[in-house]
Amino acid sequence: MFQTRRSPRPRPRPRTAAVAAVSVAGVLLLASCGEGAKGSSGDDGPVKVGLITKTDTNPFFVKMKEGAERAAKSNDVELSTAAGKFDGDNEGQVTALENMVAAGVDGVLITPNDSKAIVPALERARAKGVVVIALDTPTEPEKASDALFATDNFKAGELIGAYAKARHGAGKAKIALLNLAPGVSVGVLRRDGFLKGYGIKENDPQVVCAQDTGGDQAKGQTAMENCLQKEPDIDVVYSINEPAGMGAHTALKAKGRADDVLIVSVDGGCTGVKAVRSGALAATSQQYPLLMASKGVEAVVSHVKDGTKVSGYTDTGVTLVTDEPAAGVTAKDTAYGLDNCWG
């Protein structure tokens, strides 16, 4: 799963001293360096960037790879790509990272499968002068990477939580939480955001079931089946992503309850937005993985070309998408969602 994409005619790039701080996407803070960075690729070679995603099958990461490839082509970058074998495969990501460092990359973009376990490998890469940028999922601690380009995942969860509360209305809900997996910060942030948006805590009696799904549709269906066995009258479902949400919808449909349970989710992929349009999902928080990856590639190029060191957090945006708006919750319709899905 380690692939290299080389630009046809690399152009020489002088590396000069950088003193001024510039901004990426208008938000990210950049620290100036006393001397220009000397990338592993050498003064006359192409900038080398590695992209490591959680998997290479999830459409979200397919779109992220597409964004990296576009930016690599337009910036004359040699791009290497790799992924874990499954969501949670930290060992596979470590191996990919070590291979890329050995191949002389100037920078690595990574969506960590395990936000904590990946840190020692990232520290070794950075010690060798490799720029490390986390995409989508922050490392723990966040300073283990040089920078982060990501959705505000807490806000994404908060938006669908506030929406679910407004749609449910007064009275006690029976809520199922279809979470991601232990050790993944993005899952914790989305879940905690949902709870805040709904106005409850994790131990609230309205939360009648919580299951891990790994963000997988089949596991989401199994998790929902387990929750329905525990509490048949669930009426609100939080799902970590749209595949898990669609798995929940399948389980509810089999019980004849698909039309009376509110399912909310996060991601906003084209398939997910279509699920909102069809009514399978009530709403989703749309994020923009293509932008994350393209900005990450551009940041590495900037660092190598003029020594500008990227740092801090860039919020790549989130939008609530639904065709059934709720009072007090700002949202766009599915026409907007389809025009912007994963851009």
Side-chain angles (χ1 to χ4, degrees), residues 167 224 228 232-237 245-264 275-276 278-283 324:
R167 281 288 308 277
M224 192 71 239
L228 288 170
D233 295 329
I234 288 168
D235 54 6
V236 174
V237 176
M246 289 306 297
H249 178 263
T250 299
L252 288 162
K253 188 174 181 180
K255 295 289 187 181
R257 299 211 52 223
D259 294 334
D260 54 42
V261 178
L262 191 78
I263 306 174
V264 293
V276 174
S278 73
L281 303 178
E324 298 186 55

Side-chain angles (χ1 to χ4, degrees), residues 3-342:
Q3 304 170 322
T4 300
R5 188 176 296 268
R6 184 183 295 272
S7 298
R9 293 199 307 246
R11 297 188 296 274
R13 288 182 178 78
R15 284 150 170 78
T16 57
V19 200
V22 297
S23 67
V24 176
V27 182
L28 187 67
L29 296 177
L30 299 172
S32 61
C33 302
E35 296 182 358
K38 298 190 181 297
S40 306
S41 52
D43 287 344
D44 295 332
V47 176
K48 296 181 179 180
V49 179
L51 171 69
I52 305 173
T53 54
K54 293 182 180 180
T55 72
D56 60 5
T57 55
N58 187 315
F60 182 86
F61 300 116
V62 173
K63 181 60 70 171
M64 184 176 283
K65 182 179 176 181
E66 180 184 325
E69 288 172 340
R70 288 187 189 179
K73 184 176 181 180
S74 61
N75 288 279
D76 196 24
V77 163
E78 181 180 309
L79 179 69
S80 300
T81 64
K85 294 180 180 178
F86 53 87
D87 204 318
D89 178 19
N90 179 69
E91 184 177 344
Q93 288 195 319
V94 170
T95 298
L97 176 61
E98 291 173 344
N99 288 341
M100 289 179 178
V101 172
V105 293
D106 297 292
V108 170
L109 317 177
I110 186 168
T111 57
N113 264 322
D114 190 316
S115 305
K116 294 180 180 178
I118 195 66
V119 167
L122 297 182
E123 290 175 341
R124 292 192 295 271
R126 294 176 73 191
K128 294 182 179 181
V130 176
V131 177
V132 173
I133 297 177
L135 303 180
D136 178 57
T137 304
T139 56
E140 295 184 58
E142 192 172 309
K143 66 180 181 180
S145 63
D146 290 290
L148 170 67
F149 290 81
T151 306
D152 183 337
N153 281 291
F154 187 89
K155 181 180 178 181
E158 193 172 11
L159 282 171
I160 57 172
Y163 174 83
K165 176 63 176 178
R167 281 288 308 277
H168 185 275
K172 300 295 184 181
K174 292 186 177 181
I175 302 170
L177 303 178
L178 302 190
N179 299 316
L180 185 56
V184 185
S185 56
V186 65
V188 175
L189 288 166
R190 291 182 187 181
R191 180 204 64 200
D192 290 354
F194 170 83
L195 294 170
K196 182 180 179 183
Y198 205 93
I200 58 176
K201 297 186 181 298
E202 190 174 6
N203 60 356
D204 191 285
Q206 292 181 85
V207 178
V208 296
C209 186
Q211 296 267 309
D212 291 333
T213 68
D216 178 80
Q217 185 162 340
K219 292 179 181 177
Q221 180 178 343
T222 300
M224 192 71 239
E225 290 167 350
N226 292 338
C227 285
L228 288 170
Q229 287 180 357
K230 181 179 179 181
E231 177 50 74
D233 295 329
I234 288 168
D235 54 6
V236 174
V237 176
Y238 154 82
S239 56
I240 179 64
N241 64 4
E242 289 145 10
M246 289 306 297
H249 178 263
T250 299
L252 288 162
K253 188 174 181 180
K255 295 289 187 181
R257 299 211 52 223
D259 294 334
D260 54 42
V261 178
L262 191 78
I263 306 174
V264 293
S265 195
V266 177
D267 267 355
C270 298
T271 300
V273 174
K274 289 176 182 176
V276 174
R277 174 167 282 186
S278 73
L281 303 178
T284 189
S285 284
Q286 185 172 70
Q287 50 181 343
Y288 306 101
L290 191 149
L291 181 64
M292 297 175 198
S294 61
K295 290 299 183 183
V297 170
E298 291 165 5
V300 175
V301 171
S302 179
H303 174 72
V304 173
K305 288 178 66 174
D306 58 31
T308 304
K309 184 172 175 57
V310 64
S311 64
Y313 166 55
T314 295
D315 182 354
T316 50
V318 62
T319 305
L320 184 73
V321 174
T322 182
D323 283 334
E324 298 186 55
V329 186
T330 302
K332 299 284 190 179
D333 63 16
T334 57
Y336 174 92
L338 289 172
D339 284 342
N340 294 276
C341 48
W342 286 352

